[in-house]
Amino acid sequence: MLLLALVVLGINLYMILTTSDEIDTGWQAEEKPDCIMVLGASVRSDGTPSPILKNRLDAASVLYEEGAAPKILLSGDDGQDEYNEVAVMKSYLVDAGIPGEDIVTDHAGFSTYETVYRAKAVFCVDSAIVVTQKYHLYRALYGCERMGIEATGTVASDMGGDAGDEMRELREILARVKDFGMWIIKPDPKYLGEKIPITEGVN
């Protein structure tokens, strides 16, 4: 048990330490990144984003309006007829004034691993600003590094969400260990499909 705990702790520290310098540091390269990548989260039954997701979308909207990147890639779970994260995400951004032609949707981002893998393999993303809460950014940025995507992270607020949820923190600790293993094995996502370059794709 002690050895297992040390392995879990070691993986988490490694993932955090190797990505911390890329969080909220701005984009350093002369050329703009390909896109602002927004990771999905739960949506409400009334078709509105949860507070956590709303904060991610608001942060992405600010970045787009500041001219940080020409496209926004929305990735989330659209695996059920009655549940569609990306449709809610896109609707929210369009209502906020973001042009629909600059929003690209990934309907098969069922996990952080699949989102990052598909960003490179399907949408040909070479560089991105990743938007999510800080606890989640370490894992997302680590995946980008493993997938060959040059990325920085922008922290979305936890306010209004489950900022004090200890179970969420525990889930993230375990999720980092899981994704660490996934990036070693690197299995294909459930869905891939034809390439849709982010610079060209509109859906």
Side-chain angles (χ1 to χ4, degrees), residues 13-161:
L13 284 175
Y14 175 75
M15 196 173 284
I16 290 169
L17 291 174
T18 56
T19 57
S20 292
D21 289 346
E22 303 304 326
I23 295 177
D24 273 352
T25 57
W27 188 257
Q28 305 301 320
E30 291 184 6
E31 294 185 4
K32 292 181 180 180
D34 294 332
C35 67
I36 299 160
M37 187 192 307
V38 185
L39 305 180
S42 61
V43 298
R44 293 168 164 170
S45 58
D46 63 357
T48 59
S50 63
I52 287 288
L53 182 55
K54 178 182 179 299
N55 291 340
R56 296 179 190 181
L57 295 168
D58 288 342
S61 181
V62 170
L63 286 170
Y64 177 87
E65 295 293 348
E66 291 177 345
K71 299 284 185 180
I72 298 178
L73 175 61
L74 304 177
S75 183
D77 187 346
D78 180 19
Q80 306 171 51
D81 291 338
E82 67 279 5
Y83 186 82
N84 188 333
E85 288 178 1
V86 287
V88 171
M89 294 164 76
K90 182 172 182 178
S91 177
Y92 182 88
L93 288 181
V94 169
D95 288 346
I98 306 298
E101 61 267 23
D102 288 342
I103 301 173
V104 178
T105 52
D106 176 8
H107 294 264
F110 302 122
S111 67
T112 303
Y113 173 83
E114 288 173 295
T115 289
V116 174
Y117 194 115
R118 283 174 52 82
K120 181 72 171 186
V122 176
F123 297 99
C124 307
V125 172
D126 292 320
S127 54
I129 300 172
V130 182
V131 181
T132 185
Q133 279 68 33
K134 190 171 185 178
Y135 70 88
H136 191 197
L137 270 174
Y138 304 115
R139 182 159 54 102
L141 290 174
Y142 180 79
C144 286
E145 179 185 335
R146 296 290 296 179
M147 201 62 192
I149 299 173
E150 183 182 0
T152 60
T154 291
V155 175
S157 173
D158 263 327
M159 297 301 292

